[in-house]
Amino acid sequence: MQLIPGFLLCLFACVVSAADPGVEFFENRVRPVLARNCLACHGASKLGGLDMTTREGLLKGGQSGPAIVPGKPLESRLIRSVEHSDEKLRMPLGQPRVAAKEIADLKSWIEAGAPWPEARLPEKQPVTGITPDQRKFWAFQKVARPEPPRVKGEWARTAIDHFIQAKLEQAGLKPNHAADKPTLIRRASFDLTGLPPTAAEVDAFLNDQHPDAFARVVDRLLESPRYGERWARYWLDVARYSDDRLESEVEAPYDNAFRYRDWVVRAFNDDMPYDMF
């Protein structure tokens, strides 16, 4: 029994000594640098079209071209970006420059041919199909018009209200009472434009006794330019829009970025169909 720990230690030493030195260097000195400084933007999100989670992604590069040129660190955009030698490629974004020792390790790795352990794995992974249970997910079902469920009382006014009230009843809950007119116009104004209603708008709604008074308020808010300005922000966030390069030390605006921002706002205000958008 005394020999087992010594045997395992010897076996471990043999495995380590047999490992590819380039891969070992990558795992110990390069992967941590990439994970700490690069993958927040160039991992799953692939900012700028650059995927740094694989060697193939680095070789392919993003919108600016290949990130690395194996054997040629000085020609690699990755090195120029972390050295801040290129005004347009200063990475990591908004962070201090990578340490000189880490840059030297990146150079050595690229000069050695950029070895990467995953490169040894099969390029094609087995394709798995969708299981019957997964196929039942609502997004895979054909569009249908279900019959609204029957509910108690007179709270539900529309078909959608019937579905909402049915779920509330299942949970043992009751719907809230209808909002009064000042509350209603305030909610609609904040929801559709992000702004409170003016005193004149509130008074006009309170004095409007027509059955479609609230519908007219909604129509007015949808026609307001403020509607597009409010709701375009959500799409611009998804698209990671920015007026400038987010440099921490200097202002570096994109000269024509506002054109895309204004176009998105107009698209919302014009009710542009999504397939055209």
Side-chain angles (χ1 to χ4, degrees), residues 21-229:
V23 170
E24 186 177 352
F25 183 86
F26 171 81
E27 293 291 356
N28 294 330
R29 309 277 283 274
V30 176
R31 187 190 290 274
V33 177
L34 299 179
R36 185 165 55 251
N37 298 283
C38 308
L39 297 189
C41 292
H42 302 293
S45 58
K46 300 180 184 178
L47 186 63
L50 176 57
D51 178 8
M52 297 183 67
T53 61
T54 66
R55 187 176 189 273
E56 290 73 18
L58 287 165
L59 293 173
K60 179 182 177 182
Q63 296 171 356
S64 301
I68 62 171
V69 180
K72 299 179 180 180
L74 298 182
E75 297 180 19
S76 299
R77 285 182 172 81
L78 173 61
I79 299 302
R80 296 206 303 272
S81 66
V82 296
E83 285 186 328
H84 291 190
S85 58
D86 188 329
E87 291 293 331
K88 297 181 179 180
L89 287 172
R90 290 190 169 188
M91 298 295 170
L93 197 62
Q95 300 294 326
R97 202 181 78 159
V98 175
K101 180 64 173 66
E102 294 177 339
I103 294 176
D105 288 340
L106 291 173
K107 287 181 177 179
S108 299
W109 172 64
I110 294 174
E111 193 169 8
W116 191 294
E118 284 79 5
R120 297 178 176 179
L121 299 177
E123 294 184 3
K124 294 184 178 180
Q125 299 296 327
V127 178
T128 58
I130 299 175
T131 66
D133 286 340
Q134 292 171 333
R135 182 66 66 183
K136 295 178 182 177
F137 188 66
W138 67 266
F140 295 118
Q141 309 308 312
K142 292 183 178 180
V143 177
R145 186 180 292 277
E147 196 68 28
R150 294 183 179 182
V151 293
K152 303 174 183 178
E154 299 179 354
W155 179 87
R157 300 181 182 179
T158 68
I160 294 177
D161 291 342
H162 280 257
F163 287 99
I164 294 173
Q165 185 174 344
K167 288 294 184 180
L168 289 174
E169 290 176 356
Q170 288 179 13
L173 302 174
K174 294 181 178 180
N176 287 333
H177 296 292
D180 57 27
K181 294 185 76 172
T183 302
L184 198 57
I185 188 174
R186 187 172 177 84
R187 288 177 179 174
S189 297
F190 272 114
D191 183 47
L192 295 177
T193 68
L195 299 169
T198 65
E201 291 169 344
V202 174
D203 289 340
F205 180 50
L206 293 178
N207 294 325
D208 189 345
Q209 302 303 318
H210 290 84
D212 63 345
F214 183 62
R216 289 195 282 188
V217 167
V218 173
D219 288 340
R220 174 179 59 79
L221 294 171
L222 291 174
E223 292 172 0
S224 168
R226 305 291 87 79
Y227 168 77
E229 292 170 1

